Amino acid sequence: MNAHEGESIELVENTDHSDGRADEPGLAAPHEDSPGESRSLAELLGEPEPIPLPQDVQWFATALLREPSRAAQTAPVIAMVAELLDILRDEHTPDQQAHRALRRAVRWLRVFATESSRPTTRNSSTTDHHVLAISAKDLADAAASRQLATTWLRGTPQAAIRTEPVIGVVAQLHYDLQCSSKGQEAQSRLRHAVRLLEVFVADEEAAPQPR
């Protein structure tokens, strides 16, 4: 995709736990070590070792389930906007296909248009945050994110659900449901995951029927 050229986009990762949620892990790789109780639960359930996911998928899945508004600046979301821009600018793309891509993109982006639940202040700055810069090269290297964007906007929902960002959300949810220390946190993450997955099952086109 050529829409990224010359761009530099910054993601802000909050590592400040002064809001009283120090017991909650930050937005780190989703399969890092958890408290002993969580590992014991996974062992009791006989769960296999999680399959490592690409870094951009890990960050996206973890951010989405814990605070969707922060996932807005992750590679899968940015790649979706860039792919939509390419489609709208492409004069060879039929109007009907472009309109379908726009409808699908809007449904996807609504998931991340939620307001943050954390209070903000006028004097807030990035001095207490870890800055993660995503350049055009980083996005070009995010193959899984680009595959999802292309498949969802140009292909079919049936193919899109087999891409790594979607599978990563389900895998991260599976992990979080076992490891969340509070039932309210687990329920919140389940709700965020369902909102995203509903995007793929609410397509305006009927799924092809077997003959």
Side-chain angles (χ1 to χ4, degrees):
M1 295 183 294
N2 54 18
H4 308 302
E5 294 179 359
E7 296 181 0
S8 180
I9 303 171
E10 290 188 348
L11 305 189
V12 178
E13 179 183 358
N14 186 3
T15 57
D16 181 12
H17 297 295
S18 60
D19 58 357
R21 300 198 299 181
D23 59 329
E24 176 182 341
L27 297 184
H31 302 304
E32 62 184 4
D33 288 342
S34 304
E37 295 83 359
S38 300
R39 290 199 300 272
S40 297
L41 174 59
E43 291 169 1
L44 286 173
L45 293 174
E47 295 298 333
E49 288 295 322
I51 300 175
L53 295 168
Q55 184 176 4
D56 60 304
V57 175
Q58 289 184 336
W59 169 249
F60 165 71
T62 310
L64 168 72
L65 295 183
R66 300 185 183 182
E67 194 170 350
S69 60
R70 294 178 65 188
Q73 289 181 285
T74 54
V77 181
I78 297 170
M80 191 72 68
V81 175
E83 182 70 12
L84 175 63
L85 184 61
D86 285 348
I87 291 173
L88 296 178
R89 285 176 170 172
D90 185 2
E91 296 180 355
H92 299 290
T93 301
D95 292 345
Q96 184 177 5
Q97 181 180 346
H99 190 254
R100 181 186 64 189
L102 176 62
R103 286 200 304 267
R104 290 181 175 179
V106 167
R107 286 211 308 276
W108 167 269
L109 295 174
R110 279 195 187 118
V111 174
F112 311 95
T114 178
E115 293 292 334
S116 173
S117 59
R118 297 185 180 182
T120 56
T121 61
R122 183 179 301 179
N123 297 325
S124 62
S125 66
T126 59
T127 56
D128 296 329
H129 296 73
H130 171 66
V131 177
L132 176 63
I134 292 215
S135 66
K137 181 181 183 301
D138 294 326
L139 286 174
D141 292 340
S145 298
R146 291 185 293 110
Q147 182 187 21
L148 169 61
T150 302
T151 306
W152 175 234
L153 297 184
R154 299 179 186 265
T156 66
Q158 292 76 24
I161 63 174
R162 309 305 290 271
T163 56
E164 286 186 302
V166 179
I167 294 173
V169 169
V170 178
Q172 177 64 35
L173 175 63
H174 181 228
Y175 179 84
D176 283 349
L177 291 178
Q178 295 181 58
C179 299
S180 295
S181 57
K182 299 178 182 178
Q184 187 175 4
E185 291 177 359
Q187 186 180 36
S188 174
R189 293 170 191 180
L190 175 62
R191 183 169 59 250
H192 296 329
V194 169
R195 287 187 62 202
L196 180 78
L197 298 177
E198 283 177 342
V199 169
F200 299 96
V201 298
D203 194 62
E204 70 281 358
E205 300 170 348
Q209 299 297 323
R211 296 182 179 180

